[in-house]
């Protein structure tokens, strides 16, 4: 062992002497590198070198006196550090390979990752071009998100102006094909309905929302729509009318106080409270007065429900990496979401349990009860009877060709409690904001167009004289100018100004290729503001909706409630709420614009189209 060490040391010394300067200095630098490397990459290497060196020194001390020993000693004293270096270097040659490999691997991985990310950040953005659809240039990862920085309303109008009635955009990696051409819209919503049955879902909808008919798909959607269509029949709505009237009375009491104060009031806030009271009463079977009792748990939870929004950085992440972020967001704990869902679900479950104990004739005649009554329906209406909008809007009646009647699809299983909760949620997500905003826009337009308001007031007074207690039918027939005012309000400011359909299979729509899975967005805002379809689109003119004007209008140019079998299911209820409320208010007050009224109106459109800063007007008692 000793002999082997001496031999190794000698070899080391001779090798060392034979080295030229550059080589030595190279080795020295290698040593330093090795030391540094060792410090970083493990103590074993430096410990080994230290141990070998100590052995060499001890060996030389033992052999002192002999020439061999002196040689060694000399060698050690002279080249000790270099020997150290050499030993290091010899080991380092291996390590360097490792280090070089490590570095190379790190660099290679970084380059590959950068290349992959660069590819990923734009890889989704070639589809529209391949389809020949014009669109703004997308930015890596986020697509055209910044195009909509002013909201989707302005973005949609701008998109139409720049790229025409068939165009597109990307939100993150998701492609949208935007259509605002009436014939194409008809193809998608009606003619090819079998291929465009579903709306786009993000996958982030919480459970009750995902269970609502708004998000249901294919067969289950058809079954549930069949059940719910009967719940929104005129007869059923007539039964629900007293509940809406009660909420209306609370609103009137509050407006009276506003009028008495003589101050301008934000009527949008009052309408929001009214809409909450209607949802509580009609959908959740519970009575509240949101205006008087804003801390009521139902009111508080509704406020929280509407306040939920995704922080912008998270939104960008979700849009950029949907396949990772969406499943992650679904499984990550979310206290707020769980609390909200828990509250509303428990409320409905309690109501159902309570009603199960009541005698049939004692039960409240609300939406919840009607869904409970219909949930076991053996069969119901078929797809050809789903389009309630066609019947509700006389203008739409001519738009759809009669299709051969389809067999009603029987429920393969009754509605579960979760699904019933989902349908109650519908009122929150599909009805609440939209009704609030429709009433707000109508009030603004009447206040700023006093000649229209005067004509409406005359109609209201006449109607009130004839109908002391209006019912659903008389409201439909007796207020034609109010109908025109509401229709023109929804043309100018359609709260649901964009809705989608998803292509189930590859298809062609009027010569345009549409791949399976593509999302088509119907741009109602752009359609309603198209000067070729609606001359002077910025002008409020209810005359556009006289019976004659409607007869002459090109079909599929007016879509505030959508069209076809998947159009708004609550159209009758929505119009009933808006009409009844305006009728009750205008029979007692007039709307006056004042210095606080914002003209022109600023809009917000992150979800539904809404006034940005409320609607401030004065209420003048009549
Ligand atoms: C003025 C009031 C309202 C307007 C302007 C409106 C508008 C719309 C629009 C544009 C759609 C999309 C239609 C489509 O995709 O073709 C829709 C869908 C829907 N709306 Fe309304 N809506 C209103 C009130 C209501 C109310 C009060 C309810 C009831 C709670 C309601 C329930 C629904 C449902 C359930 C859907 C989805 C239907 C389905 O997917 O089968 N809406 N609404």
């Amino acid at each position: 062992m000793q002999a082997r060490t001496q031999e190794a040391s000698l070899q080391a010394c001779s090798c060392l002497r034979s080295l030229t300067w550059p080589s030595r200095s190279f080795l020295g630098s290698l040593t330093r590198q090795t030391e540094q490397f060792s410090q970083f990459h493990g103590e074993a290497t430096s410990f080994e070198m230290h141990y070998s060196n100590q052995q060499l020194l001890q060996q030389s001390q033992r052999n002192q006196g002999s020439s061999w020993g002196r040689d060694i000693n000399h060698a050690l004293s002279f080249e000790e550090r270099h020997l150290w270096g050499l030993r290091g270097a010899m080991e380092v040659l291996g390590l360097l390979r490792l280090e070089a490999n490590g570095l190379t691997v790190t660099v290679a991985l970084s380059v590959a990752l950068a290349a992959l990310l660069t590819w990923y950040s734009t890889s989704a953005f070639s589809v529209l071009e391949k389809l020949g659809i014009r669109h703004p240039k997308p930015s890596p990862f986020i697509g055209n998100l910044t195009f909509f920085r002013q909201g989707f309303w302005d973005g949609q109008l701008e998109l139409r102006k720049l790229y025409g009635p068939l165009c597109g955009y990307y939100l993150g990696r998701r492609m949208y094909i935007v259509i605002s051409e009436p014939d194409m819209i008809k193809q998608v919503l009606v003619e090819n309905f079998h291929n465009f049955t579903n709306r786009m879902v993000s996958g982030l909808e919480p459970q009750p929302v995902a269970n609502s008919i708004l998000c249901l798909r294919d067969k289950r959607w058809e079954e549930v729509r069949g059940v719910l269509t009967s719940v929104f029949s005129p007869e059923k709505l007539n039964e629900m009318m007293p509940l809406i009237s009660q909420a209306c009375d609370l609103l009137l009491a509050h407006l009276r106080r506003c009028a008495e104060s003589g101050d301008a009031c934000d009527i949008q806030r009052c309408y929001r409270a009214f809409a909450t009271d209607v949802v509580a009463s009609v959908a959740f079977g519970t009575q509240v007065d949101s205006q008087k009792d804003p801390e009521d748990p139902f009111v508080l939870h509704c406020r929280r429900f509407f306040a939920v929004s995704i922080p912008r950085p998270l939104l960008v992440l979700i849009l950029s990496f949907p396949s990772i972020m969406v499943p992650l967001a679904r499984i990550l704990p979310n206290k707020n979401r769980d609390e909200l869902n828990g509250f509303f679900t428990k409320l409905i479950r309690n109501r159902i349990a309570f009603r199960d104990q009541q005698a049939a004739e004692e039960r409240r005649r609300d939406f919840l009860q009607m869904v409970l009554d219909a949930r076991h329906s053996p069969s119901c209406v078929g797809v050809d009877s789903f389009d309630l909008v066609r019947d509700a809007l006389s203008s739409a009646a001519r738009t759809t060709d009669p299709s051969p009647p389809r067999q009603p699809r029987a429920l393969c299983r009754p509605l579960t409690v979760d699904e019933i909760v989902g349908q109650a949620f519908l009122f929150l997500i599909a009805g609440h904001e939209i009704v609030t905003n429709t009433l707000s826009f109508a009030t603004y337009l009447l206040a700023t167009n006093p000649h229209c308001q005067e004509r409406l007031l005359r109609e209201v007074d006449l109607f009130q004289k004839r109908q002391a207690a209006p019912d659903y039918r008389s409201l439909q027939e007796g207020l034609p100018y109010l109908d025109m005012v509401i229709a023109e309000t929804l043309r100018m400011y359609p709260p649901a100004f964009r809705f989608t359909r998803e292509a189930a299979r590859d298809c062609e729509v009027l010569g345009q290729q549409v791949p399976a899975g593509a999302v088509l967005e119907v741009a109602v805002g752009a359609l309603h503001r198209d000067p070729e379809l609606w001359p002077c689109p910025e002008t409020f003119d209810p005359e556009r909706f006289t019976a004659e004007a409607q007869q002459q209008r090109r079909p599929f140019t007016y879509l505030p409630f959508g069209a076809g079998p998947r159009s708004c299911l609550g159209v009758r209820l929505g119009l009933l709420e808006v009409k009844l409320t305006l009728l009750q208010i205008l029979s007692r007050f007039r709307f006056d614009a004042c210095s606080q009224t914002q003209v022109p109106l600023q809009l917000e459109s992150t979800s539904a189209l809404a006034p940005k800063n409320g609607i401030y007007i004065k209420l003048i008692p009549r």
Side-chain angles (χ1 to χ4, degrees), residues 189 199 213-215 221 225 232 426-427 430-431 434-435 438 490 495-496 499-501 559-563 565-571 573-575 577-578:
L189 298 186
R199 218 167 261 126
I213 189 176
L214 213 68
C215 301
W221 165 76
R225 174 110 186 182
F232 285 99
L426 192 72
F427 278 70
I434 293 190
V435 168
T438 306
L490 288 172
F499 56 83
T500 60
R501 294 289 187 274
L559 300 172
F561 296 95
R566 194 131 200 189
S567 58
C568 179
L569 184 58
V571 54
L573 176 64
L575 286 174
E577 274 185 65
V578 172

Side-chain angles (χ1 to χ4, degrees), residues 83-94:
L83 179 63
W84 234 83
L86 178 67
R87 287 277 301 163
M90 292 194 323
E91 295 197 41
V92 151
L93 287 176

Side-chain angles (χ1 to χ4, degrees), residues 137-240:
K137 190 175 171 347
S139 306
F141 294 109
I142 57 171
N144 299 114
L145 186 64
T146 51
F147 192 87
F148 299 97
R149 71 173 79 79
Q150 305 292 344
F152 283 97
W153 174 259
D154 286 336
Q156 187 181 94
L157 299 184
E158 187 69 4
L159 211 57
R160 167 72 176 83
K161 208 157 68 192
L162 295 175
Y163 303 102
L166 169 63
C167 54
Y169 66 88
Y170 296 96
L171 262 196
R173 298 175 66 76
R174 168 94 68 175
M175 171 189 80
Y176 291 77
I177 299 174
V178 184
I179 49 174
S180 53
E181 204 285 316
D183 291 339
M184 197 161 214
I185 294 176
K186 178 181 177 184
Q187 291 297 316
V188 173
L189 298 186
V190 178
E191 304 292 332
N192 292 328
F193 177 72
H194 56 280
N195 196 37
F196 293 102
T197 309
N198 299 320
R199 218 167 261 126
M200 184 202 86
V201 283
S202 70
L204 284 171
E205 295 81 8
Q207 204 46 52
V209 176
N211 275 330
S212 81
I213 189 176
L214 213 68
C215 301
L216 289 180
R217 297 169 78 83
D218 302 312
K219 185 165 159 280
R220 192 58 180 163
W221 165 76
E222 201 179 314
E223 290 175 6
V224 175
R225 174 110 186 182
V227 172
L228 293 186
T229 300
S230 63
V231 174
F232 285 99
S233 70
E235 298 70 36
K236 297 273 165 47
L237 290 177
N238 207 29
E239 286 189 69
M240 292 184 224

Side-chain angles (χ1 to χ4, degrees), residues 2 61 117 132 142 212 248 317 335 339 341 373 377 380 385 452 488 492 497 502 508 530 542 615:
Q2 251 185 15
Q61 278 158 8
L117 272 177
I142 57 171
S212 81
C248 214
L317 270 179
K335 196 165 160 255
E339 262 178 37
N341 295 345
D373 292 346
S377 304
C380 29
S385 313
C452 295
E488 175 65 345
M492 284 192 76
F497 66 98
E502 206 177 272
E508 205 182 286
D530 184 341
I615 301 284

